[in-house]
Amino acid sequence: MFLVIIGGVIVGGASELIKNELTRTVDAESEQTVEFTVEDGQTVSQVAANLTDADLIRQPLLFRFLASRQNVSVQAGTYQLSPSMTMAQILGSLQ
């Protein structure tokens, strides 16, 4: 029984950490916009890595998880994104 309780606490804590990270921004105070380009044929993994390199997201793995969970594919194009956007907002912009 003790292990079940500990497992529940760990899962609950991990879920809360993931939820917080998904709603967190890189810089909530930023008014800067960044021109971000998704090339034709790029995978969500490649886009997530590029978003991390551009300091627009912190956790590429969570970005990929969010895209997969929402069954979203990113569209090629050039976008104006901001470090003040959440991962969900950025993903929504790239559709």
Side-chain angles (χ1 to χ4, degrees):
M1 183 64 163
F2 177 73
L3 291 177
V4 171
I5 293 171
I6 294 298
V9 169
I10 290 171
V11 169
S15 295
E16 189 64 27
L17 287 173
I18 290 170
K19 180 180 149 196
N20 287 341
E21 189 61 35
L22 289 174
T23 58
R24 196 170 135 197
T25 66
V26 170
D27 182 0
E29 304 295 318
S30 178
E31 295 180 16
Q32 170 190 4
T33 59
V34 175
E35 189 171 276
F36 183 81
T37 301
V38 176
E39 301 293 338
D40 192 38
Q42 278 189 315
T43 65
V44 170
S45 294
Q46 292 168 321
V47 172
N50 292 343
L51 287 166
T52 304
D53 292 343
D55 292 324
L56 291 166
I57 64 170
R58 287 189 175 95
Q59 301 292 332
L61 180 62
L62 287 179
F63 184 85
R64 294 191 326 253
F65 171 77
L66 181 63
S68 173
R69 184 173 173 124
Q70 294 182 357
N71 198 28
V72 170
S73 61
V74 295
Q75 301 298 312
T78 300
Y79 303 90
Q80 295 297 317
L81 305 176
S82 172
S84 65
M85 297 170 76
T86 65
M87 276 194 231
Q89 290 171 324
I90 289 173
L91 187 59
S93 295
L94 299 179
Q95 294 184 64

